[in-house]
């Protein structure tokens, strides 16, 4: 091959990609006009490149893949707490007292998270989706939540030094009824949620390792991520939750403050 | 993690490139299941760092950059030795007949040829010749100098053409003596 063609072959790919400088491009055009071999080579390179592009571009993701991605993004947004910090605590406790095995701990932790997820569900589906402006009057909230839960209105209103009370109502998701109060502070929402237990099976696993604290002798469980902090507890007939967008401490504080009122509802 | 209300904004910017990311991952990894996992990871990573994404900049290039980070990470995790058969066959350096090969080679022929490229060649070829990123964009995406992009591209394209030409010759469909 003569040196001019050799040089041209080195630049043919850049020529095809339109990445040549103007002067070089001009020289290349000149050469191609007079050289059939390089024109053929150019045609072959163009053809093989478009063959590759067509083949790869035909590779499509399976049906439903985009939906799966979206679901994983949403799952990530409201995902429950990572279990490993708790597992570390559990392992440390096991070393100390030789109590639960790791697998027992993990399955108990999953059971706790599954129950706490009810509080999160109501917060996401109701408070985040429909929280209103303004403050309802206590009498309206009592009517909304019904006589059985009316005493909670006073307990929630006592928090009005820290929060603006936005809602007090009953709502229903996935066949489950919730008594739901929505509070707001600095644009962050907090839900106080009470829902009747579904039979005896719906109970937090009994292990001191799993509870974040005890309030009024009732274990309080906790989960959360960077955005939502859920505190949950089990009463005789109800599961109760505080879902705070502020901090874990705040969800636990509020839960501790409200437990006597939750207890009063059941009397 | 960005505020959940930004999710719609993220999806509007990032989901339109899903197919492009997937096909590149599938072609680079040569495994559809791995490609699906990696692309899903890309979206989760991109969403986690969406706060750092500057609105108005090239979201597609940003997503591809994350894709190749994930692919390299994936490769380090699940490195498999690929057999690369260097074919020493010398191809004639003259072209004596018009080239009409494209219609006769199947997708499998092309993917098999692509599969023989070392990964560092395959990734630049996919980014430049399929996804049509500029040399500079490829260089930024893969964090390699632009000269390296050009030399890898040149060698990658050359080897790919060699493989395609070999297949074509085996099938008796030319290109007669096409140079690599």
């Amino acid at each position: 091959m003569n040196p001019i063609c050799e040089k041209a072959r080195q630049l043919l790919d850049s020529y095809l990609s339109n990445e040549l400088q103007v002067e070089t491009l001009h020289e290349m055009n000149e050469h191609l006009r007079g050289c059939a071999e390089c024109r053929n080579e150019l045609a072959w390179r163009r053809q093989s490149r478009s063959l590759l592009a067509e083949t790869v571009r035909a590779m499509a993701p399976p049906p439903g893949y985009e939906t799966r991605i979206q679901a994983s993004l949403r799952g990530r947004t409201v995902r429950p707490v990572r279990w490993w910090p708790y597992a570390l605590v559990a392992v440390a406790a096991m070393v100390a007292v030789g109590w639960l095995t790791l697998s027992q701990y993990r399955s108990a932790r999953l059971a706790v998270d599954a129950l706490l997820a009810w509080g999160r569900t109501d917060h996401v589906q109701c408070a985040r989706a429909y929280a209103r402006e303004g403050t309802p009057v206590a009498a309206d909230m009592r009517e909304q939540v019904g006589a059985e839960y009316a005493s909670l209105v006073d307990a929630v209103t006592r928090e009005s030094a820290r929060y603006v009370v936005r809602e007090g109502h009953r709502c229903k998701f996935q066949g489950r009824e919730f008594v739901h109060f929505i509070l707001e502070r600095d644009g962050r929402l907090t839900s106080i949620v009470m829902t009747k237990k579904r039979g005896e099976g719906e109970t937090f696993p009994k292990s001191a390792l799993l509870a974040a604290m005890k309030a009024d002798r009732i274990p309080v469980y906790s989960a959360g991520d960077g955005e939502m902090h859920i505190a949950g507890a089990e009463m005789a007939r109800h599961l109760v939750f505080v879902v705070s967008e502020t901090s874990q401490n705040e969800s636990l504080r509020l839960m501790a403050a409200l437990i006597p009122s939750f207890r009063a509802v059941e009397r | 993690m960005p505020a959940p209300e930004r999710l719609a904004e993220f999806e509007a910017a990032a989901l339109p490139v899903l197919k492009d990311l997937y096909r590149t991952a599938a072609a680079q990894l040569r495994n559809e299941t791995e490609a699906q996992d990696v692309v899903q990871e890309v979206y989760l990573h991109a969403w986690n760092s969406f706060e750092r994404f500057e609105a108005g900049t090239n979201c597609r290039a940003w997503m591809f950059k994350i894709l190749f980070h994930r692919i390299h990470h994936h490769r380090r995790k699940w490195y498999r030795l690929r057999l690369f058969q260097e074919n020493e066959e010398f191809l004639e350096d003259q072209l004596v007949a018009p080239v009409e090969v494209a219609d006769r080679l199947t997708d499998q022929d092309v993917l098999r040829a692509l599969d023989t490229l070392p990964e560092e060649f395959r990734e630049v070829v996919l980014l430049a010749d399929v996804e049509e990123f500029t040399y500079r964009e490829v260089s930024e995406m893969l964090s390699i100098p632009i000269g390296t992009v050009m030399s890898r591209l040149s060698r990658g394209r050359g080897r790919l053409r060699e493989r395609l030409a070999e297949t074509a010759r085996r099938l008796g469909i030319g290109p007669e003596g096409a140079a690599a």
Side-chain angles (χ1 to χ4, degrees), chain A residues 1 9 13-14 17 19 37 40-41 44-45 47-49 51-53 55-57 59-62 65-66 68-70 72-74 76-77 79 128 227, chain B residues 1 4 7 10-11 15 18 22-23 26 36 39-40 43-44 47-48 93 95 99 101-102 105 107 110 125 129-130 132 134-135 157 160-161 164 175 178-179:
Chain A
M1 192 189 304
R9 300 290 168 103
D13 283 316
S14 295
S17 302
E19 296 262 6
E37 286 177 13
N40 269 341
E41 175 62 18
W44 163 232
R45 290 191 187 193
Q47 201 170 42
S48 63
R49 195 182 289 192
L51 189 59
L52 173 71
T55 303
V56 174
R57 286 174 191 160
M59 297 168 84
Y65 184 57
E66 184 170 325
R68 197 176 108 193
I69 298 270
Q70 286 180 301
S72 74
L73 289 169
R74 276 166 181 71
R76 185 69 160 243
T77 306
R79 69 174 187 264
R128 284 194 167 189
E227 300 156 33
Chain B
M1 191 184 297
L7 188 55
F10 171 72
E11 288 180 343
L15 283 177
L18 175 63
Y22 173 80
R23 70 194 182 202
Q36 287 172 33
V39 171
Q40 186 166 340
Y43 275 87
L44 292 174
W47 166 235
N48 279 339
D93 199 14
L95 204 61
V99 184
V101 179
L105 289 175
D107 285 0
V110 177
V125 169
D129 291 350
V130 180
E132 297 180 338
T134 63
Y135 294 171
R157 285 165 172 161
L160 186 66
R161 283 195 299 270
L164 290 174

Coordinates of all heavy atoms in Angstrom, one line a residue, chain A residues 1 9 13-14 17 19 37 40-41 44-45 47-49 51-53 55-57 59-62 65-66 68-70 72-74 76-77 79 128 227, chain B residues 1 4 7 10-11 15 18 22-23 26 36 39-40 43-44 47-48 93 95 99 101-102 105 107 110 125 129-130 132 134-135 157 160-161 164 175 178-179:
Chain A
M1 N 0.9 -1.2 0.0 CA 0.0 0.0 0.0 C 0.9 1.2 0.0 O 1.9 1.3 0.7 CB -0.9 0.0 1.3 CG -2.0 1.0 1.2 SD -2.8 1.2 2.8 CE -3.3 -0.5 3.1
R9 N -5.9 5.3 5.5 CA -6.6 4.3 6.2 C -6.6 4.5 7.8 O -7.5 4.2 8.5 CB -5.9 2.9 6.0 CG -5.9 2.5 4.5 CD -7.2 2.1 4.0 NE -7.3 1.9 2.6 CZ -7.3 0.7 2.0 NH1 -7.2 -0.4 2.7 NH2 -7.3 0.7 0.7
D13 N -11.6 6.0 10.0 CA -12.6 5.9 11.1 C -12.9 7.2 11.7 O -14.1 7.5 11.9 CB -12.0 5.0 12.2 CG -12.1 3.5 11.8 OD1 -13.1 3.1 11.2 OD2 -11.1 2.8 12.1
S14 N -11.9 8.1 11.8 CA -12.2 9.4 12.3 C -13.0 10.2 11.3 O -13.9 11.0 11.6 CB -11.0 10.2 12.7 OG -10.3 9.6 13.7
S17 N -16.5 9.2 11.7 CA -17.1 9.7 12.9 C -17.2 11.3 12.9 O -17.6 11.9 13.9 CB -16.3 9.3 14.1 OG -16.2 8.0 14.2
E19 N -14.8 13.3 13.0 CA -13.9 13.9 14.0 C -12.6 14.4 13.5 O -11.7 14.7 14.2 CB -13.6 12.7 15.1 CG -14.7 12.2 15.8 CD -14.9 12.8 17.2 OE1 -14.1 13.7 17.6 OE2 -15.8 12.3 18.0
E37 N -9.8 2.1 -4.1 CA -9.5 1.1 -3.0 C -9.9 1.7 -1.7 O -10.5 1.1 -0.8 CB -8.0 0.7 -3.0 CG -7.7 -0.2 -4.2 CD -6.2 -0.5 -4.2 OE1 -5.5 -0.2 -3.2 OE2 -5.8 -1.1 -5.2
N40 N -13.6 1.9 -1.4 CA -14.2 0.6 -1.0 C -13.9 0.3 0.5 O -14.8 -0.3 1.1 CB -13.5 -0.5 -1.8 CG -14.2 -0.8 -3.1 OD1 -15.4 -0.4 -3.3 ND2 -13.5 -1.4 -4.1
E41 N -12.8 0.6 0.9 CA -12.5 0.4 2.3 C -13.4 1.2 3.2 O -13.9 0.7 4.2 CB -11.0 0.7 2.6 CG -10.6 0.6 4.1 CD -10.7 -0.8 4.7 OE1 -10.8 -1.8 3.9 OE2 -10.8 -0.9 5.9
W44 N -16.7 -0.4 3.3 CA -16.7 -1.6 4.2 C -16.8 -1.2 5.7 O -17.5 -1.7 6.5 CB -15.5 -2.5 3.9 CG -15.1 -3.5 4.9 CD1 -13.9 -3.7 5.4 CD2 -16.0 -4.5 5.5 NE1 -13.9 -4.7 6.3 CE2 -15.2 -5.2 6.4 CE3 -17.3 -4.8 5.4 CZ2 -15.6 -6.3 7.1 CZ3 -17.8 -5.9 6.1 CH2 -17.0 -6.6 7.0
R45 N -16.0 -0.2 6.0 CA -16.0 0.3 7.4 C -17.3 0.9 7.8 O -17.8 0.7 8.9 CB -14.9 1.4 7.6 CG -13.5 0.7 7.5 CD -12.4 1.7 8.0 NE -11.1 1.1 7.7 CZ -10.0 1.6 8.2 NH1 -10.0 2.6 9.0 NH2 -8.8 1.0 7.9
Q47 N -20.1 0.1 6.5 CA -21.1 -1.0 6.6 C -20.9 -1.8 7.8 O -21.9 -2.1 8.5 CB -20.9 -1.9 5.4 CG -22.0 -2.7 5.0 CD -21.8 -3.4 3.7 OE1 -20.7 -3.9 3.4 NE2 -22.8 -3.5 2.9
S48 N -19.7 -2.1 8.2 CA -19.5 -2.9 9.4 C -19.9 -2.1 10.7 O -20.5 -2.7 11.6 CB -18.1 -3.4 9.5 OG -17.2 -2.3 9.6
R49 N -19.7 -0.8 10.6 CA -20.1 0.0 11.8 C -21.6 0.1 11.9 O -22.2 -0.1 13.0 CB -19.5 1.4 11.6 CG -19.6 2.2 12.9 CD -19.1 3.6 12.8 NE -17.6 3.7 12.6 CZ -17.0 4.8 12.7 NH1 -17.6 5.9 13.0 NH2 -15.7 4.8 12.5
L51 N -23.7 -2.1 10.8 CA -24.1 -3.4 11.1 C -24.1 -3.6 12.6 O -25.0 -4.2 13.2 CB -23.2 -4.4 10.4 CG -23.5 -5.9 10.4 CD1 -24.9 -6.2 9.8 CD2 -22.4 -6.7 9.7
L52 N -23.0 -3.2 13.2 CA -22.8 -3.3 14.7 C -23.9 -2.5 15.4 O -24.6 -3.0 16.3 CB -21.4 -2.8 15.1 CG -21.2 -2.7 16.6 CD1 -21.2 -4.1 17.2 CD2 -20.0 -1.9 17.0
A53 N -24.1 -1.2 14.9 CA -25.0 -0.3 15.6 C -26.4 -0.9 15.5 O -27.2 -1.0 16.5 CB -25.0 1.0 14.9
T55 N -27.3 -4.0 15.1 CA -27.5 -5.3 15.9 C -27.6 -4.9 17.4 O -28.5 -5.4 18.1 CB -26.2 -6.1 15.7 OG1 -26.1 -6.4 14.3 CG2 -26.3 -7.4 16.5
V56 N -26.8 -4.0 17.9 CA -26.8 -3.7 19.3 C -28.1 -2.9 19.6 O -28.7 -3.2 20.7 CB -25.5 -2.9 19.7 CG1 -25.7 -2.5 21.2 CG2 -24.3 -3.8 19.6
R57 N -28.5 -2.0 18.7 CA -29.7 -1.2 19.0 C -30.9 -2.1 19.0 O -32.0 -1.7 19.6 CB -29.8 -0.1 18.0 CG -28.8 1.0 18.3 CD -28.8 2.1 17.2 NE -27.7 3.0 17.4 CZ -27.2 3.7 16.4 NH1 -27.8 3.7 15.2 NH2 -26.2 4.5 16.7
M59 N -31.2 -4.8 20.6 CA -31.2 -5.5 21.9 C -32.1 -4.7 22.9 O -31.7 -3.7 23.4 CB -29.8 -5.7 22.5 CG -28.9 -6.5 21.6 SD -27.2 -6.5 22.1 CE -27.2 -7.7 23.4
A60 N -33.3 -5.2 23.1 CA -34.2 -4.5 23.9 C -34.4 -5.2 25.3 O -34.3 -6.4 25.4 CB -35.6 -4.4 23.3
P61 N -34.6 -4.4 26.3 CA -34.9 -5.0 27.6 C -36.2 -5.8 27.6 O -37.0 -5.5 26.8 CB -34.9 -3.8 28.6 CG -35.2 -2.6 27.7 CD -34.7 -2.9 26.4
P62 N -36.3 -6.7 28.5 CA -37.6 -7.5 28.5 C -38.8 -6.7 28.9 O -38.6 -5.6 29.5 CB -37.3 -8.6 29.6 CG -36.2 -8.0 30.5 CD -35.4 -7.1 29.6
Y65 N -39.5 -4.2 32.2 CA -38.3 -3.9 32.9 C -38.3 -2.5 33.4 O -37.8 -2.2 34.6 CB -37.1 -4.1 31.9 CG -35.8 -3.9 32.5 CD1 -35.3 -4.6 33.6 CD2 -34.9 -2.9 32.0 CE1 -34.1 -4.4 34.1 CE2 -33.6 -2.7 32.5 CZ -33.2 -3.4 33.6 OH -32.0 -3.2 34.1
E66 N -38.9 -1.6 32.7 CA -38.9 -0.2 33.1 C -39.8 -0.1 34.4 O -39.4 0.6 35.4 CB -39.5 0.7 32.0 CG -39.5 2.2 32.4 CD -39.9 3.1 31.3 OE1 -39.5 2.8 30.1 OE2 -40.6 4.1 31.6
R68 N -40.1 -2.4 36.6 CA -39.3 -3.0 37.7 C -38.3 -1.9 38.2 O -38.1 -1.8 39.4 CB -38.5 -4.2 37.1 CG -38.0 -5.1 38.2 CD -37.3 -6.3 37.6 NE -35.9 -6.2 37.7 CZ -35.1 -7.0 37.0 NH1 -35.5 -7.9 36.2 NH2 -33.8 -6.9 37.2
I69 N -37.7 -1.2 37.3 CA -36.8 -0.1 37.7 C -37.5 0.9 38.6 O -37.0 1.3 39.6 CB -36.2 0.6 36.5 CG1 -35.4 -0.4 35.6 CG2 -35.3 1.8 36.9 CD1 -33.9 -0.5 35.9
Q70 N -38.7 1.3 38.1 CA -39.4 2.3 38.8 C -39.8 1.8 40.2 O -39.7 2.6 41.2 CB -40.7 2.7 38.1 CG -40.4 3.6 36.9 CD -41.6 4.0 36.1 OE1 -42.4 3.1 35.6 NE2 -41.9 5.3 36.0
S72 N -38.2 -0.4 41.9 CA -37.0 -0.4 42.8 C -36.7 1.0 43.3 O -36.2 1.1 44.4 CB -35.9 -1.1 42.1 OG -35.3 -0.2 41.1
L73 N -36.9 2.0 42.5 CA -36.6 3.4 42.9 C -37.6 3.8 44.0 O -37.2 4.4 45.0 CB -36.8 4.4 41.7 CG -35.7 4.3 40.7 CD1 -36.1 5.1 39.4 CD2 -34.4 4.8 41.2
R74 N -38.8 3.4 43.9 CA -39.8 3.7 44.9 C -39.5 2.9 46.2 O -39.6 3.4 47.3 CB -41.2 3.5 44.4 CG -41.7 4.7 43.7 CD -43.0 4.4 42.8 NE -43.3 5.6 42.1 CZ -42.6 6.1 41.1 NH1 -41.6 5.4 40.7 NH2 -43.0 7.2 40.5
R76 N -36.7 2.0 47.1 CA -35.5 2.6 47.7 C -35.9 3.9 48.5 O -35.4 4.2 49.6 CB -34.6 3.0 46.6 CG -33.3 3.5 47.1 CD -32.5 2.4 47.8 NE -31.1 2.8 47.8 CZ -30.1 2.1 47.2 NH1 -30.4 1.0 46.6 NH2 -28.9 2.5 47.3
T77 N -36.9 4.6 47.9 CA -37.3 5.9 48.6 C -37.9 5.7 49.9 O -37.7 6.4 50.8 CB -38.4 6.6 47.6 OG1 -37.8 6.7 46.3 CG2 -38.7 7.9 48.1
R79 N -37.7 2.7 51.7 CA -37.3 1.4 52.2 C -37.2 1.3 53.7 O -36.9 2.3 54.4 CB -35.9 1.0 51.6 CG -34.8 1.9 52.2 CD -33.4 1.4 51.7 NE -32.4 2.1 52.4 CZ -31.8 3.1 51.9 NH1 -32.1 3.6 50.7 NH2 -30.9 3.8 52.6
R128 N -48.6 12.0 53.1 CA -47.8 12.6 52.1 C -48.6 13.0 50.9 O -48.4 13.9 50.2 CB -46.7 11.7 51.7 CG -45.6 11.6 52.7 CD -44.3 11.0 52.1 NE -43.2 11.2 52.9 CZ -41.9 11.0 52.6 NH1 -41.7 10.5 51.4 NH2 -41.0 11.2 53.4
E227 N -35.2 9.4 55.7 CA -36.3 10.3 55.5 C -37.5 10.1 56.5 O -38.2 11.0 56.9 CB -36.9 10.1 54.2 CG -36.0 10.4 53.0 CD -36.4 9.7 51.8 OE1 -37.6 9.5 51.6 OE2 -35.5 9.3 51.1
Chain B
M1 N -29.7 10.9 49.9 CA -30.8 10.6 48.9 C -31.6 11.9 48.7 O -32.0 12.5 49.6 CB -31.6 9.5 49.4 CG -32.5 8.9 48.4 SD -33.6 7.6 49.1 CE -32.4 6.4 49.6
P4 N -38.1 12.7 48.0 CA -38.9 11.8 47.1 C -39.7 12.6 46.1 O -39.9 12.1 45.0 CB -39.9 11.2 48.1 CG -39.2 11.3 49.5 CD -38.3 12.5 49.4
L7 N -38.4 12.5 42.6 CA -38.3 11.2 41.9 C -38.9 11.4 40.5 O -38.4 10.9 39.5 CB -39.1 10.2 42.7 CG -39.0 8.7 42.1 CD1 -37.5 8.3 42.0 CD2 -39.7 7.8 43.1
F10 N -36.4 13.0 38.3 CA -35.4 12.1 38.0 C -35.8 11.1 36.9 O -35.1 10.9 35.9 CB -34.9 11.3 39.3 CG -34.0 10.2 39.0 CD1 -32.7 10.4 38.6 CD2 -34.4 8.9 39.0 CE1 -31.8 9.4 38.3 CE2 -33.6 7.8 38.8 CZ -32.3 8.1 38.4
E11 N -37.0 10.6 37.1 CA -37.5 9.6 36.1 C -37.7 10.2 34.7 O -37.3 9.6 33.7 CB -38.8 9.0 36.6 CG -38.6 8.0 37.8 CD -39.9 7.4 38.3 OE1 -41.0 7.9 37.9 OE2 -39.8 6.4 39.0
L15 N -35.2 7.9 32.7 CA -35.8 6.7 32.1 C -35.8 6.7 30.5 O -35.7 5.6 30.0 CB -37.3 6.6 32.5 CG -37.4 6.0 34.0 CD1 -38.9 5.9 34.4 CD2 -36.8 4.6 34.1
L18 N -33.1 4.4 29.2 CA -33.1 3.1 29.7 C -32.7 2.0 28.6 O -31.8 1.2 28.9 CB -34.4 2.7 30.3 CG -34.6 1.2 30.8 CD1 -33.6 0.9 31.9 CD2 -36.0 1.0 31.3
Y22 N -29.4 -0.3 28.6 CA -29.6 -1.7 28.6 C -28.8 -2.4 27.5 O -28.1 -3.4 27.7 CB -31.1 -2.1 28.6 CG -31.2 -3.6 28.5 CD1 -31.1 -4.4 29.6 CD2 -31.4 -4.2 27.2 CE1 -31.2 -5.8 29.5 CE2 -31.5 -5.6 27.1 CZ -31.4 -6.4 28.2 OH -31.5 -7.7 28.1
R23 N -29.0 -1.9 26.2 CA -28.4 -2.6 25.1 C -26.8 -2.5 25.2 O -26.1 -3.4 24.9 CB -28.9 -2.0 23.8 CG -28.4 -0.6 23.5 CD -29.2 0.1 22.4 NE -28.7 1.4 22.1 CZ -29.4 2.3 21.5 NH1 -30.6 2.1 21.1 NH2 -28.9 3.5 21.2
A26 N -25.9 -5.0 27.9 CA -26.1 -6.4 27.3 C -24.9 -6.7 26.4 O -24.4 -7.8 26.4 CB -27.4 -6.5 26.7
Q36 N -29.4 -6.6 33.1 CA -30.6 -6.1 33.8 C -30.2 -5.7 35.2 O -30.7 -4.6 35.7 CB -31.7 -7.2 33.9 CG -32.4 -7.4 32.5 CD -33.3 -8.6 32.6 OE1 -34.0 -8.9 33.6 NE2 -33.4 -9.3 31.5
V39 N -28.0 -2.5 35.1 CA -28.7 -1.2 34.8 C -29.6 -0.8 36.0 O -29.8 0.4 36.2 CB -29.5 -1.4 33.5 CG1 -30.4 -0.2 33.2 CG2 -28.6 -1.6 32.3
Q40 N -30.2 -1.8 36.6 CA -31.0 -1.4 37.8 C -30.1 -0.7 38.9 O -30.5 0.3 39.4 CB -31.6 -2.7 38.4 CG -32.6 -2.4 39.5 CD -33.5 -3.6 39.9 OE1 -33.7 -4.5 39.1 NE2 -34.1 -3.6 41.0
Y43 N -29.5 2.9 38.0 CA -30.6 3.8 38.3 C -30.7 4.1 39.8 O -30.9 5.2 40.2 CB -32.0 3.2 37.8 CG -32.2 3.6 36.4 CD1 -31.7 2.8 35.3 CD2 -32.9 4.8 36.0 CE1 -31.9 3.2 34.0 CE2 -33.0 5.2 34.7 CZ -32.5 4.4 33.7 OH -32.7 4.8 32.4
L44 N -30.4 3.1 40.6 CA -30.4 3.3 42.1 C -29.2 4.3 42.4 O -29.4 5.2 43.2 CB -30.3 2.0 42.8 CG -31.6 1.2 42.7 CD1 -31.3 -0.2 43.4 CD2 -32.8 1.8 43.3
W47 N -30.0 7.8 41.1 CA -31.1 8.4 42.0 C -30.4 8.9 43.3 O -30.7 10.0 43.8 CB -32.2 7.5 42.2 CG -33.2 7.8 43.3 CD1 -33.5 7.1 44.4 CD2 -33.9 9.1 43.4 NE1 -34.4 7.7 45.1 CE2 -34.7 9.0 44.6 CE3 -34.0 10.2 42.7 CZ2 -35.5 10.0 45.0 CZ3 -34.8 11.2 43.1 CH2 -35.6 11.1 44.3
N48 N -29.6 8.1 43.9 CA -28.9 8.5 45.1 C -28.0 9.7 45.0 O -27.9 10.5 45.9 CB -28.0 7.3 45.7 CG -28.9 6.3 46.4 OD1 -30.0 6.6 46.8 ND2 -28.4 5.1 46.5
D93 N -4.8 -7.1 1.3 CA -4.9 -5.7 1.5 C -5.5 -4.9 0.3 O -5.2 -3.8 0.0 CB -3.5 -5.1 1.8 CG -3.6 -3.8 2.5 OD1 -4.7 -3.4 2.9 OD2 -2.6 -3.1 2.5
L95 N -9.0 -4.4 -2.2 CA -10.4 -4.6 -2.3 C -10.7 -4.7 -3.8 O -10.5 -3.8 -4.6 CB -11.1 -3.4 -1.7 CG -12.5 -3.7 -1.2 CD1 -12.5 -4.7 -0.1 CD2 -13.1 -2.4 -0.7
V99 N -18.6 -4.3 -1.6 CA -18.9 -5.0 -0.4 C -20.4 -5.1 -0.2 O -21.1 -4.0 -0.2 CB -18.3 -4.2 0.8 CG1 -18.5 -5.0 2.1 CG2 -16.8 -4.0 0.5
V101 N -22.0 -7.2 2.4 CA -22.0 -8.2 3.4 C -23.1 -8.1 4.4 O -23.6 -9.0 4.9 CB -20.6 -8.1 4.1 CG1 -20.5 -9.2 5.2 CG2 -19.5 -8.4 3.1
A102 N -23.4 -6.8 4.7 CA -24.2 -6.5 5.9 C -25.5 -7.3 5.9 O -25.9 -7.8 7.0 CB -24.5 -5.0 5.9
L105 N -24.9 -11.2 7.0 CA -24.4 -11.6 8.3 C -25.6 -11.4 9.3 O -26.3 -10.5 9.3 CB -23.2 -10.7 8.8 CG -21.9 -10.9 8.0 CD1 -20.9 -9.9 8.5 CD2 -21.4 -12.3 8.3
D107 N -27.3 -11.3 13.3 CA -27.0 -10.6 14.5 C -26.1 -11.4 15.4 O -25.2 -10.9 16.0 CB -28.3 -10.4 15.3 CG -29.2 -9.2 14.8 OD1 -28.7 -8.6 13.7 OD2 -30.2 -9.0 15.3
V110 N -22.6 -10.9 14.3 CA -22.0 -9.7 14.7 C -21.7 -9.7 16.2 O -20.6 -9.3 16.7 CB -23.0 -8.5 14.4 CG1 -22.5 -7.2 15.0 CG2 -23.3 -8.4 12.9
V125 N -15.8 1.0 21.6 CA -16.5 0.8 20.3 C -18.0 1.0 20.5 O -18.7 1.7 19.7 CB -16.2 -0.6 19.7 CG1 -17.1 -0.9 18.5 CG2 -14.7 -0.6 19.3
D129 N -19.4 4.1 18.5 CA -20.0 3.7 17.2 C -21.5 3.3 17.3 O -22.2 3.3 16.3 CB -19.2 2.5 16.6 CG -17.9 3.0 16.1 OD1 -17.6 4.2 16.1 OD2 -17.0 2.1 15.8
V130 N -21.9 2.9 18.5 CA -23.4 2.6 18.6 C -24.1 3.7 19.3 O -25.1 4.2 18.8 CB -23.6 1.3 19.5 CG1 -25.0 1.0 19.6 CG2 -22.8 0.1 18.8
E132 N -22.8 6.7 19.7 CA -22.4 8.0 19.0 C -22.0 9.1 20.0 O -22.3 10.3 19.7 CB -23.6 8.4 18.1 CG -23.8 7.4 17.0 CD -24.9 7.8 16.0 OE1 -25.7 8.6 16.4 OE2 -24.9 7.2 14.9
T134 N -19.0 11.5 21.4 CA -17.7 11.9 20.8 C -16.6 11.3 21.6 O -16.7 10.8 22.7 CB -17.6 13.5 20.9 OG1 -17.6 13.8 22.3 CG2 -18.8 14.2 20.3
Y135 N -15.4 11.4 21.0 CA -14.2 10.9 21.6 C -14.0 11.6 23.0 O -13.7 10.9 24.0 CB -12.9 11.2 20.8 CG -12.9 10.5 19.5 CD1 -11.9 10.9 18.5 CD2 -13.7 9.5 19.1 CE1 -11.8 10.2 17.3 CE2 -13.7 8.9 17.9 CZ -12.7 9.3 17.0 OH -12.6 8.6 15.8
R157 N -12.1 -1.3 16.5 CA -12.8 -1.3 15.2 C -12.1 -2.3 14.2 O -12.7 -3.0 13.5 CB -12.8 0.1 14.6 CG -13.8 1.0 15.3 CD -13.5 2.4 14.9 NE -14.5 3.4 15.3 CZ -14.3 4.7 15.4 NH1 -13.1 5.2 15.1 NH2 -15.2 5.5 15.8
L160 N -12.7 -5.8 15.1 CA -14.1 -6.2 14.8 C -14.3 -6.4 13.3 O -14.9 -7.4 12.9 CB -15.0 -5.1 15.3 CG -16.5 -5.4 15.2 CD1 -16.9 -6.5 16.2 CD2 -17.3 -4.1 15.5
R161 N -13.7 -5.6 12.6 CA -13.8 -5.7 11.1 C -13.2 -7.0 10.6 O -13.7 -7.7 9.8 CB -13.2 -4.5 10.4 CG -14.1 -3.3 10.4 CD -13.7 -2.3 9.4 NE -12.3 -1.8 9.6 CZ -12.0 -0.8 10.4 NH1 -13.0 -0.1 11.0 NH2 -10.8 -0.4 10.6
L164 N -15.5 -9.8 11.4 CA -16.6 -9.9 10.5 C -16.2 -10.3 9.1 O -16.9 -11.1 8.4 CB -17.3 -8.5 10.4 CG -18.0 -8.0 11.7 CD1 -18.4 -6.5 11.5 CD2 -19.2 -8.9 12.0
P175 N -16.4 -9.5 2.6 CA -15.8 -8.7 1.6 C -14.4 -9.3 1.1 O -13.6 -9.6 1.9 CB -15.5 -7.4 2.3 CG -15.3 -7.8 3.7 CD -16.1 -9.0 3.9
A178 N -11.1 -7.5 2.2 CA -11.2 -6.2 2.9 C -10.1 -6.1 4.0 O -9.8 -7.0 4.6 CB -12.6 -6.2 3.6
A179 N -9.6 -4.9 4.0 CA -8.6 -4.7 5.0 C -9.2 -4.4 6.4 O -10.3 -4.0 6.4 CB -7.7 -3.5 4.6

